Amino acid sequence: MPLTLILTRHAKSAWDDPSLDDFERPLNGRGRSSALKIGKWLVANGHLPDTVLVSGARRTVETWGRMADVMPATATMVSEPALYLASSDVILRVLRARKSPVIMLIAHNPGIGDFAMRMLAQAPSHEKFDKYPTCATTVMDFDASKWSDVQWGSGKLIDFVVPREL
């Protein structure tokens, strides 16, 4: 059974309260709408995670919360502080420690975009993939039985979408 990874950059966050620490920034209206659209798209395409790893930043938690509203209640959310503004190397280290066969990871750019690029054997020809905009989502499979065996460039692209296409 292959492993499946769903990579999502958090949805669009609000910048309207300068007193808030970056970690505490909430989603804005567009972000809430985008997260809901991506959640519906994941369900419609059968991309349902067992475990959802979030950085713990408010915008990643809220992104998952909006998605979870339209998904079966089968996924467990886990806050992984190491994912906050993490590099792709840190993201890989966090992923390799997991056990669930279908993992969703919600994190931040530039790390999440770089991670998506480095994990895939072949990147999609989508014009937005290199920028990995807010709520961009990549689904990839790995021919491996455990996450600790996953290597750079070993992911097979299943899907890539940005909210504006939905």
Side-chain angles (χ1 to χ4, degrees), residues 12-55:
K12 188 78 173 159
S13 60
W15 288 91
D16 53 351
D17 185 349
S19 69
L20 281 180
D21 180 69
D22 179 69
F23 194 80
E24 295 302 323
R25 283 191 297 117
L27 297 182
N28 66 16
R30 188 176 106 197
R32 289 188 296 274
S33 173
S34 293
L36 190 60
K37 285 179 186 178
I38 293 294
K40 289 178 180 178
W41 177 84
L42 288 167
V43 170
N45 288 282
H47 303 310
L48 303 176
D50 300 313
T51 301
V52 179
L53 304 176
V54 299
S55 73

Side-chain angles (χ1 to χ4, degrees), residues 30-118:
R30 188 176 106 197
R32 289 188 296 274
S33 173
S34 293
L36 190 60
K37 285 179 186 178
I38 293 294
K40 289 178 180 178
W41 177 84
L42 288 167
V43 170
N45 288 282
H47 303 310
L48 303 176
D50 300 313
T51 301
V52 179
L53 304 176
V54 299
S55 73
R58 184 172 174 186
R59 58 194 180 273
T60 63
V61 173
E62 286 185 11
T63 297
W64 169 243
R66 295 293 289 185
M67 292 176 179
D69 285 347
V70 296
M71 289 195 179
T74 56
T76 302
M77 186 191 83
V78 178
S79 181
E80 282 283 352
L83 292 175
Y84 179 63
L85 305 178
S87 69
S88 55
D89 290 322
V90 170
I91 294 171
L92 181 59
R93 189 168 50 249
V94 168
L95 179 65
R96 284 181 171 163
R98 305 313 299 181
K99 303 283 186 227
S100 302
V102 183
I103 292 181
M104 179 175 205
L105 198 146
I106 304 173
H108 311 264
N109 246 359
I112 191 90
D114 183 56
F115 182 78
M117 180 69 76
R118 292 179 69 189

